[in-house]
Amino acid sequence: MYLFLHILFLIKCTFCFFDYTLNNYNYLMKKIILMLMLVLSTGLSAQFYTISGYLTDGKSGESLINASVFDHRSRKGTVSNEYGFFSITLPAGETQLQFTYVGFQTEQRNFTLRKDTVINIRFQESITLQEITVTGHQKITGVQSTQMSAVEVPIAQIKTVPTLFGEADLIKALQLLPGVQAGSEGSTGMYVRGGGPDENLFLLDGIPVYNINHMAGFFSVFNPDAVKNVTLYKGNFPARFGGRLSSVIDVRMNDGNNKEIRGNLSVGIISSKLNIEGPLFSEKTTFNVSARRTYFDILAQPILAAVAKAEQGDGYDGSLSAGYYFYDLNGKISHKFSDTDRLYLSLYMGDDAIYAKFRSRYRETDQLKSTEHGKLDWDWGNIVTSARWNHVINNRLFMNSTLAYTRYRFNLYVGSRSEEIRKNPPSNTYTDYMVGYKSGIEDYTAKVDFDYAPHPDHDVKFGANYTYHTFRPGVSVARNEIKYNNEIIKTDTMIGDKNVFSHETMAYAEDNISLGYALKLNVGLHYSVFNVQRETYHSLQPRISMRWLLNDRLSVKAGYAAMSQYVHLLSNSSVSLPTDLWVPVTKRIEPMRSHQYSAGIFYNFRDLIDFSVEGYYKSMHNLIEYRDGASFLGSTTGWEDKVAMGDGWAYGLEVLAQKSFGKTTGWIGYTWAKAERKFDRPGQEINYGRVFPAKYDRRHDFSLVLSHKFSDRFDLSGTWVISSGNTGTLALQQFEGTSVPGDDYTWQSDLNHISSRNNYRFNPYHRMDIGMNFHKQKTNGVRTWNISIYNLYNNNNPFMVYPSETWEPVPSTNPGQYTEYTSRKVFKQISIFPIMPSLTYSYKW
Amino acid sequence: MVKRNTMKNIIFPLLALAMLVLASCEKEIEFNGEITKPLVTVNSYLIPDSTVRVIVSKSRFFLDSKNYFERIENATMNIVVNDGYTETLKLSAGTYVGNYKPQPGDSVALLIKVPGEDEVRSSAVVPMPSNIISIDTLSRKEIERYPAEMYNDSVISWMTHYELEMGLRIKDPAQQKNFYRLSILFNEEYTNFDFSNRYYLYFNLQGVTNETSGGSLLGLIGEENQKAFHLFSDDVFDGKDVIIRFKVNEYKMERKPGSEDPTPSQISYIINLQSLNRATYLYLKSKDASGDVVSDFFTEPVQIYTNISNGIGIFGAITNNTKTLYMNR
């Protein structure tokens, strides 16, 4: 009877789910999900009970993501989800539950399981000077899990990685992991397993962020002070993720301390940051606000004023102000209505801005005066905002519903007025000039996700998502007004493409299935539909991975994932620019698709160090590259004609040894990888249709990241990276070109012969960075001085190479004779970021 | 009077700011890539009724400090016309020359043997001339009139800027791929002084209209920016009777009576619509694109097309067709 009622209840839940989320959805998918749930539910028996609850930081109340829950008796385990909720169904009887999380003391609960039970754990911080021993440790990326090709890096570890200008940066830390190539020196571009920079899905609390770059990619938009957890998926993607080919970076923000008001202020060379968190009115409501701003513009004003002042005189005077800055603002409010209902409101805003204003007056004679003033406003940035509601339907079924808005936009305005005033004869002529350019992308999203733990051997996730995209491809406006001799000439021009609207819908289901002690499978299906300009694309993407446990510390894993991507980033391949533009697929430009196979061996050494050796092969189709001579500076009109579609493939071997807790933490990573492209479709050939290396194809990549805490007062961290050089395209031969016979003028010129795209490899790249933290306990908090040195031994790493010419004097034996010079062709390299020390002061209370 | 450039006033301080941040280092380094050997370079175009002329030289490594290209003067060079007539070209003043004069429709194969190199081969078919039906001025619009020359604060001559829209009517051969190159020579004749002034006009193409279906716009061809030579194919108007529209700028100077400077006795526009074979079209297009991006960091590099086997360069074919439009002054 109990079983029958249970089945009926599940069926009701299933239809409730369909009613308010999947009403207009694919009938076939409904059938599959319903059957899956019925199959699972028939396996239930009254002998199993569910233990559920929330895992939090006992000191701050912050929910803990991917905290491990393990039952020693049944050898079953799970991890907490993105909201700290866990649910595990176990056989009735004696239960020995162990709860673990990096940096916290292990919690044990031994009891007899006789009914569904709720256990909420408040973890206590570990004693920092001692190693933590953890048994049965389970991470989502560990030996026990089916997940491979993924890395979790604790945020505390990310903050210790020394970086450029002392600005801790999530993306810069992830670039040090195997399988991830950074783009050009200093940039936040990520090239994951041979994929391009637009093939990475950056999620902030589950919502995509389109442009993650500040300052042309030297910094990312993620403020580590606001972040709780970050997980990088390079392959073997769980079915809940979709929309990009190469990676998912899942970033979760802090909820806020629910016990007391806490804060952290840091002042660095280029920016300052402030983070405040705490309860609002009561423990049930918390807030967390983080802000960061640079001050290049403030520091530059005296220099600019001096420049303007130096030019004054001789009848000229003027003023000049200009600057560049960026800021980030993260805010979150969390409210707990009850043990089963919680609401989260999140906001991220960030902008880069370049501005300039000048005014000049020049009096040439008493009869003539001229003035000129101009203005430049150039800004770009993101807004990401969401409202999420968690509801524990029952102790086996957890639901999260989200409404979100995300927007990236780019604006440029340049205007000037020049005026000339004559006294005799009286006349006034002027020229007004204005150019404006706008572009961007905007999404409205509704989604629902479920976590369901029906049985000890099953851990199910399913859900659906709808997004309404608005692509603003770029509109240029130019206005010109000229007044001359009482005649006014006006021109007004607008060029650009209209906005494009699209609908993207997806649904997924995945099950983590235990088949005995050794074998565990994760089987999932992701289905997506993209509708744009009367064109509909859909994709069924199977995801499967398996783990074979050889013993508690050693496993072998393998997996396959199919992915589709419906948006492209139009971007120069060398550097990230604010003019980079997201465009949707069209009738001519089809969705990108990939198939990735991976396999590896995973070993855990004494619960301290995780080792992995993993190989992968990825094939990619319908990639786009820019045709020879294509450029996207300014105009994206007719962009489809500037790109070619083709294929790519990448394969490699990654080795990682990672230690995430204790006095000494860090990782060593090595990658051997190869990535190639081929564009041979008729009319879209690049490199004559022959195979060529991908832009950031690097054969070898090694990184060492270490951090050691000597005491509560001092810790030291360092990184060392060495990798093969990036590829570039060089014309290795020059040849004679002549004019067309019959043309009215003749010419001869030196033409460049490029034998193949990306035919040259830069010099190897290597760099060492160190960071030192000096802490001192104060009355109400801790103050820290951080000294970081980027590029410690001042290696000149290649940023750009180019041929040039130098002139050298020819030695002369005849004194008094004029010096002759001879030219010599040379090869030059530009490096940026030499040794760069930085100093940061921070105070945490 | 000194004009302050708006963008310069803005950009320069911003660049200075950027330099403060991006402290960069430039230095000479040793080239660590493959030092490739020079390639045989061929430059030749088949022009109807002109003798075949071929220039053969060697390319040079990009770091080679020589500022010239070594001409190859010991090659054995043969042409085969329509798989029949064969001729060995002879070296004359650095150029290999033959007696044969190609005609539209001829298929010519070129074989070059250079001691120590693989045999260099190429081939080209001489295209038929373009079928120009007519050339007309469609409209003439005055844009502005302004003082051209001043003397003692008095205006002694005025310049009027006109915009002429012209239409070149052609019939494109059907069911074959055709490639074109359009240029306009502006010609001023001063018969009293036995002198003519000619120069290529820079113009942009407006579009192509279909004359057999009421003048409907078929589309744009070539590139929108102003150029002296426009390259385009018949993708948009294959087999159709069309008018290619373009605008040129005309400047007419009016001098005060008594001025000693001459005015031209005859103004004309010489329009040349060349037919190209595919290789010539691709070569010229890629060569132009390569020149545009040489020092541009933000643009993809361009590989210049070649139809030379075991070498580089071009063995092309061009057929001219000119029409002159005389203007009344």
Side-chain angles (χ1 to χ4, degrees):
Chain A
M1 182 61 181
Y2 175 82
L3 176 63
F4 176 73
L5 288 174
H6 202 81
I7 293 170
L8 280 181
F9 176 73
L10 283 170
I11 294 170
K12 179 176 181 293
C13 283
T14 304
F15 279 100
C16 286
F17 158 62
F18 284 139
D19 274 345
Y20 71 81
T21 57
L22 295 177
N23 270 337
N24 299 315
Y25 205 69
N26 188 303
Y27 179 70
L28 180 59
M29 284 306 297
K30 284 186 192 177
K31 279 283 197 186
I32 292 172
I33 292 171
L34 177 57
M35 285 176 65
L36 178 66
M37 295 188 71
L38 286 175
V39 166
L40 291 176
S41 64
T42 52
L44 288 171
S45 78
Q47 297 172 343
F48 294 103
Y49 297 105
T50 300
I51 305 166
S52 62
Y54 281 91
L55 306 181
T56 58
D57 178 341
K59 197 172 172 187
S60 66
E62 196 72 50
S63 57
L64 299 177
I65 302 173
N66 296 331
S68 168
V69 182
F70 186 76
D71 175 38
H72 283 277
R73 186 177 65 99
S74 64
R75 312 292 298 169
K76 301 292 180 193
T78 189
V79 293
S80 57
N81 68 10
E82 297 83 4
Y83 302 96
F85 179 82
F86 79 94
S87 175
I88 183 167
T89 300
L90 298 173
E94 293 305 313
T95 303
Q96 299 167 1
L97 276 186
Q98 182 173 273
F99 301 86
T100 56
Y101 192 72
V102 171
F104 292 87
Q105 295 180 30
T106 301
E107 298 284 335
Q108 300 267 12
R109 296 289 184 273
N110 301 330
F111 58 96
T112 304
L113 184 61
R114 296 195 190 94
K115 59 177 180 176
D116 289 342
T117 305
V118 175
I119 300 178
N120 296 316
I121 301 290
R122 293 190 178 87
F123 284 86
Q124 303 304 313
E125 275 186 12
S126 68
I127 300 167
T128 53
L129 294 182
Q130 294 176 2
E131 299 286 352
I132 299 168
T133 55
V134 176
T135 55
H137 175 71
Q138 176 166 299
K139 300 192 304 183
I140 63 156
T141 58
V143 168
Q144 305 273 343
S145 160
T146 52
Q147 180 67 54
M148 59 185 296
S149 306
V151 184
E152 275 181 274
V153 183
I155 196 66
Q157 197 167 49
I158 287 176
K159 288 181 180 179
T160 65
V161 174
T163 53
L164 191 60
F165 299 122
E167 291 286 325
D169 193 283
L170 249 69
I171 305 302
K172 297 289 176 63
L174 295 181
Q175 287 174 343
L176 298 169
L177 293 168
V180 182
Q181 316 275 15
S184 48
E185 164 85 90
S187 87
T188 55
M190 282 179 53
Y191 299 78
V192 181
R193 292 188 172 177
D198 62 337
E199 297 170 23
N200 307 309
L201 179 64
F202 294 94
L203 297 172
L204 185 61
D205 278 349
I207 306 303
V209 183
Y210 283 98
N211 188 313
I212 62 141
N213 300 304
H214 283 310
M215 207 171 138
F218 290 128
F219 305 99
S220 76
V221 301
F222 301 109
N223 180 351
D225 286 345
V227 174
K228 173 162 52 180
N229 177 283
V230 59
T231 307
L232 165 68
Y233 298 87
K234 299 175 288 183
N236 209 17
F237 303 99
R240 61 188 176 276
F241 296 125
R244 302 288 188 275
L245 296 192
S246 288
S247 81
V248 176
I249 296 92
D250 190 7
V251 180
R252 298 282 163 175
M253 284 168 51
N254 288 319
D255 299 330
N257 191 320
N258 70 355
K259 302 281 190 280
E260 55 189 345
I261 302 280
R262 291 276 183 175
N264 182 24
L265 169 71
S266 71
V267 178
I269 284 184
I270 66 159
S271 77
S272 288
K273 290 183 282 195
L274 175 66
N275 167 252
I276 299 180
E277 56 174 332
L280 261 183
F281 316 120
S282 71
E283 274 193 15
K284 291 196 167 185
T285 310
T286 61
F287 75 95
N288 190 313
V289 176
S290 297
R292 169 174 68 168
R293 194 197 191 276
T294 58
Y295 23 71
F296 295 123
D297 53 336
I298 300 168
L299 297 175
Q301 292 314 311
I303 300 170
L304 296 172
V307 166
K309 190 176 178 184
E311 296 211 345
Q312 288 184 4
D314 292 333
Y316 166 77
D317 73 272
S319 65
L320 173 66
S321 74
Y324 165 77
Y325 68 88
F326 70 78
Y327 79 88
D328 296 300
L329 176 68
N330 293 86
K332 192 166 178 179
I333 293 177
S334 313
H335 180 71
K336 180 181 165 185
F337 291 97
S338 66
D339 283 343
T340 56
D341 290 276
R342 294 166 193 235
L343 179 69
Y344 302 88
L345 301 173
S346 306
L347 170 71
Y348 166 76
M349 285 174 61
D351 258 2
D352 287 63
I354 295 177
Y355 64 89
K357 247 188 217 177
F358 81 93
R359 181 186 56 79
S360 59
R361 269 195 309 228
Y362 196 87
R363 185 182 302 117
E364 292 183 351
T365 67
D366 288 337
Q367 301 295 315
L368 171 65
K369 187 172 73 173
S370 66
T371 62
E372 190 175 8
H373 53 90
K375 189 179 173 189
L376 164 75
D377 278 317
W378 189 5
D379 56 271
W380 61 96
N382 298 282
I383 288 180
V384 180
T385 180
S386 66
R388 286 169 293 145
W389 172 46
N390 291 169
H391 178 58
V392 181
I393 297 173
N394 59 54
N395 54 11
R396 293 183 187 183
L397 187 60
F398 175 92
M399 179 188 79
N400 176 64
S401 306
T402 304
L403 291 175
Y405 169 78
T406 183
R407 182 269 285 146
Y408 170 74
R409 63 100 179 87
F410 167 83
N411 289 331
L412 171 66
Y413 169 88
V414 179
S416 75
R417 183 181 175 104
S418 330
E419 194 169 5
E420 206 175 80
I421 300 170
R422 288 180 181 272
K423 277 192 179 174
N424 191 14
S427 71
N428 182 347
T429 57
Y430 65 78
T431 303
D432 273 343
Y433 167 79
M434 186 283 275
V435 167
Y437 178 79
K438 292 187 182 200
S439 66
I441 180 171
E442 193 176 65
D443 286 355
Y444 292 91
T445 300
K447 53 192 266 189
V448 64
D449 299 284
F450 294 86
D451 292 349
Y452 180 51
H455 186 273
D457 295 331
H458 294 273
D459 187 2
V460 180
K461 292 186 193 299
F462 58 95
N465 175 324
Y466 167 77
T467 301
Y468 178 70
H469 299 284
T470 302
F471 297 89
R472 303 180 199 283
V475 175
S476 297
V477 174
R479 293 196 186 98
N480 203 18
E481 183 174 312
I482 302 173
K483 182 180 176 227
Y484 186 81
N485 281 349
N486 298 319
E487 191 181 342
I488 296 176
I489 300 170
K490 290 186 188 181
T491 54
D492 198 326
T493 313
M494 183 187 292
I495 56 168
D497 293 325
K498 289 182 183 174
N499 291 348
V500 176
F501 307 97
S502 70
H503 308 269
E504 185 174 359
T505 313
M506 74 92 162
Y508 69 91
E510 61 179 273
D511 186 9
N512 230 354
I513 309 167
S514 294
L515 299 170
Y517 163 76
L519 183 62
K520 199 168 183 181
L521 290 179
N522 184 298
V523 181
L525 198 60
H526 180 105
Y527 179 69
S528 59
V529 181
F530 193 87
N531 177 272
V532 62
Q533 294 177 324
R534 297 183 198 167
E535 199 70 28
T536 299
Y537 294 101
H538 64 103
S539 168
L540 198 59
Q541 300 159 40
R543 314 276 173 88
I544 184 164
S545 61
M546 76 88 166
R547 176 224 71 196
W548 184 268
L549 203 60
L550 297 170
N551 59 51
D552 274 355
R553 299 189 179 282
L554 180 65
S555 67
V556 173
K557 303 184 191 181
Y560 164 78
M563 301 291 281
S564 288
Q565 180 166 339
Y566 302 105
V567 292
H568 301 278
L569 182 66
L570 298 185
S571 155
N572 175 264
S573 56
S574 304
V575 65
S576 169
L577 294 172
T579 49
D580 292 351
L581 185 67
W582 289 96
V583 291
V585 293
T586 65
K587 279 185 187 172
R588 285 168 54 186
I589 307 296
E590 297 173 36
M592 296 197 282
R593 303 195 196 279
S594 73
H595 302 276
Q596 188 174 159
Y597 309 85
S598 45
I601 298 172
F602 296 77
Y603 176 66
N604 177 273
F605 176 71
R606 292 191 180 181
D607 295 314
L608 293 175
I609 302 175
D610 289 303
F611 290 97
S612 63
V613 178
E614 190 175 329
Y616 67 90
Y617 176 83
K618 178 161 80 174
S619 64
M620 295 161 279
H621 309 283
N622 301 331
L623 298 178
I624 64 170
E625 282 264 358
Y626 312 116
R627 296 178 191 246
D628 289 358
S631 171
F632 288 97
L633 272 188
S635 170
T636 55
T637 305
W639 67 268
E640 291 166 270
D641 296 322
K642 298 183 183 179
V643 300
M645 286 174 61
D647 300 324
W649 51 92
Y651 49 92
L653 189 74
E654 296 167 7
V655 180
L656 176 66
Q658 183 183 17
K659 185 173 186 288
S660 301
F661 47 86
K663 283 187 292 186
T664 306
T665 59
W667 67 82
I668 299 174
Y670 169 74
T671 308
W672 182 97
K674 195 165 184 182
E676 292 176 315
R677 301 285 187 264
K678 186 175 183 183
F679 285 72
D680 61 352
R681 300 185 192 189
Q684 300 184 53
E685 294 90 348
I686 291 177
N687 201 43
Y688 305 112
R690 299 188 305 237
V691 173
F692 60 95
K695 176 67 184 174
Y696 288 100
D697 170 54
R698 289 212 292 251
R699 200 67 64 245
H700 305 282
D701 205 309
F702 174 85
S703 57
L704 169 66
V705 180
L706 275 181
S707 178
H708 184 74
K709 188 167 190 138
F710 288 91
S711 69
D712 279 345
R713 299 190 61 170
F714 176 69
D715 52 74
L716 176 71
S717 56
T719 62
W720 185 60
V721 295
I722 179 166
S723 63
S724 309
N726 287 332
T727 59
T729 303
L730 266 189
L732 298 179
Q733 290 285 325
Q734 288 178 316
F735 65 101
E736 183 179 14
T738 59
S739 53
V740 173
D743 282 358
D744 215 49
Y745 60 86
T746 58
W747 52 265
Q748 273 182 300
S749 67
D750 299 359
L751 302 177
N752 291 323
H753 173 65
I754 297 172
S755 57
S756 177
R757 231 192 220 203
N758 297 330
N759 58 342
Y760 172 74
R761 201 163 283 280
F762 288 21
N763 284 334
Y765 179 101
H766 56 96
R767 189 190 84 237
M768 179 179 281
D769 313 320
I770 61 164
M772 293 170 281
N773 287 312
F774 301 89
H775 311 283
K776 186 172 183 179
Q777 184 68 46
K778 296 287 195 182
T779 311
N780 297 317
V782 177
R783 80 97 176 100
T784 301
W785 283 103
N786 168 273
I787 299 171
S788 292
I789 304 177
Y790 182 89
N791 197 2
L792 180 66
Y793 51 78
N794 198 30
N795 186 46
N796 290 320
N797 285 308
F799 177 71
M800 192 159 74
V801 292
Y802 64 98
S804 182
E805 205 172 8
T806 186
W807 290 87
E808 295 166 339
V810 177
S812 170
T813 54
N814 190 356
Q817 189 182 10
Y818 63 87
T819 306
E820 280 189 19
Y821 287 83
T822 183
S823 74
R824 180 171 66 86
K825 298 261 178 71
V826 295
F827 196 50
K828 286 194 172 178
Q829 172 182 285
I830 289 180
S831 307
I832 58 174
F833 302 137
I835 179 169
M836 302 198 74
S838 63
L839 184 67
T840 306
Y841 172 87
S842 60
Y843 187 79
K844 189 172 181 179
W845 69 93
Chain B
M1 182 183 67
V2 174
K3 279 277 185 192
R4 300 271 170 189
N5 181 290
T6 304
M7 289 310 291
K8 193 172 139 187
N9 279 334
I10 294 172
I11 295 296
F12 174 70
L14 291 178
L15 282 176
L17 275 176
M19 287 306 296
L20 282 175
V21 175
L22 301 175
S24 65
C25 165
E26 182 190 71
K27 67 173 190 181
E28 185 181 329
I29 61 170
E30 198 177 315
F31 179 73
N32 65 348
E34 183 192 355
I35 298 178
T36 54
K37 68 169 200 164
L39 300 166
V40 174
T41 307
V42 176
N43 277 288
S44 176
Y45 296 91
L46 300 174
I47 312 280
D49 299 323
S50 298
T51 54
V52 176
R53 305 174 71 84
V54 182
I55 297 172
V56 187
S57 54
K58 280 202 166 173
S59 66
R60 61 173 186 249
F61 186 61
F62 79 111
L63 292 178
D64 189 333
S65 287
K66 276 191 305 212
N67 60 359
Y68 62 91
F69 296 103
E70 189 186 309
R71 289 283 171 97
I72 296 174
E73 297 183 345
N74 59 347
T76 305
M77 192 173 306
N78 293 306
I79 55 169
V80 180
V81 182
N82 298 326
D83 291 323
Y85 172 76
T86 304
E87 183 181 355
T88 299
L89 304 185
K90 299 279 187 275
L91 185 67
S92 169
T95 304
Y96 288 85
V97 183
N99 296 316
Y100 158 71
K101 292 185 181 179
Q103 297 303 312
D106 282 352
S107 170
V108 183
L110 177 68
L111 300 106
I112 304 175
K113 284 187 186 150
V114 179
E117 302 285 348
D118 293 334
E119 186 177 69
V120 173
R121 294 170 166 264
S122 188
S123 63
V125 176
V126 182
M128 304 305 284
S130 59
N131 185 1
I132 297 178
I133 299 171
S134 63
I135 174 73
D136 291 299
T137 306
L138 302 176
S139 68
R140 188 171 189 248
K141 188 169 79 175
E142 182 178 315
I143 302 299
E144 61 177 340
R145 187 168 180 268
Y146 52 89
E149 295 166 313
M150 306 274 291
Y151 183 73
N152 286 339
D153 279 339
S154 293
V155 177
I156 60 169
S157 66
W158 291 87
M159 187 74 78
T160 307
H161 170 200
Y162 296 95
E163 184 182 78
L164 301 182
E165 186 179 3
M166 294 191 181
L168 178 67
R169 186 171 174 184
I170 69 169
K171 177 75 172 69
D172 180 72
Q175 293 177 349
Q176 65 184 71
K177 201 88 170 127
N178 299 104
F179 305 93
Y180 299 100
R181 184 174 183 245
L182 179 63
S183 63
I184 306 172
L185 258 180
F186 179 74
N187 187 35
E188 290 176 317
E189 303 271 356
Y190 296 81
T191 46
N192 291 345
F193 298 91
D194 195 24
F195 166 73
S196 67
N197 176 32
R198 4 197 300 165
Y199 52 87
Y200 283 103
L201 288 179
Y202 280 70
F203 64 101
N204 56 344
L205 296 176
Q206 299 300 297
V208 181
T209 53
N210 188 343
E211 286 313 290
T212 53
S213 64
S216 58
L217 181 67
L218 289 170
L220 300 177
I221 54 174
E223 294 176 37
E224 294 170 11
N225 48 313
Q226 296 213 334
K227 302 172 85 158
F229 297 94
H230 281 268
L231 292 159
F232 55 93
S233 67
D234 65 350
D235 284 342
V236 167
F237 56 87
D238 182 35
K240 294 186 170 64
D241 178 348
V242 296
I243 289 183
I244 300 170
R245 294 168 184 271
F246 48 93
K247 287 182 180 176
V248 299
N249 293 313
E250 183 192 357
Y251 295 89
K252 184 177 175 184
M253 184 175 280
E254 298 162 48
R255 297 182 188 278
K256 272 177 93 168
S259 166
E260 292 180 3
D261 290 331
T263 53
S265 51
Q266 178 66 64
I267 303 283
S268 59
Y269 295 91
I270 303 170
I271 289 93
N272 187 0
L273 183 66
Q274 295 169 312
S275 297
L276 317 175
N277 70 340
R278 179 176 178 273
T280 307
Y281 172 77
L282 292 175
Y283 171 78
L284 293 176
K285 208 160 170 64
S286 59
K287 182 184 72 61
D288 288 347
S290 173
D292 290 341
V293 310
V294 158
S295 56
D296 187 343
F297 177 68
F298 301 107
T299 306
E300 299 299 324
V302 177
Q303 290 172 282
I304 298 176
Y305 178 84
T306 181
N307 67 339
I308 309 297
S309 182
N310 295 325
I312 52 177
I314 182 67
F315 182 55
I318 300 176
T319 302
N320 293 302
N321 191 355
T322 60
K323 286 282 188 287
T324 303
L325 187 65
Y326 294 97
M327 307 300 291
N328 297 325
R329 276 285 171 108

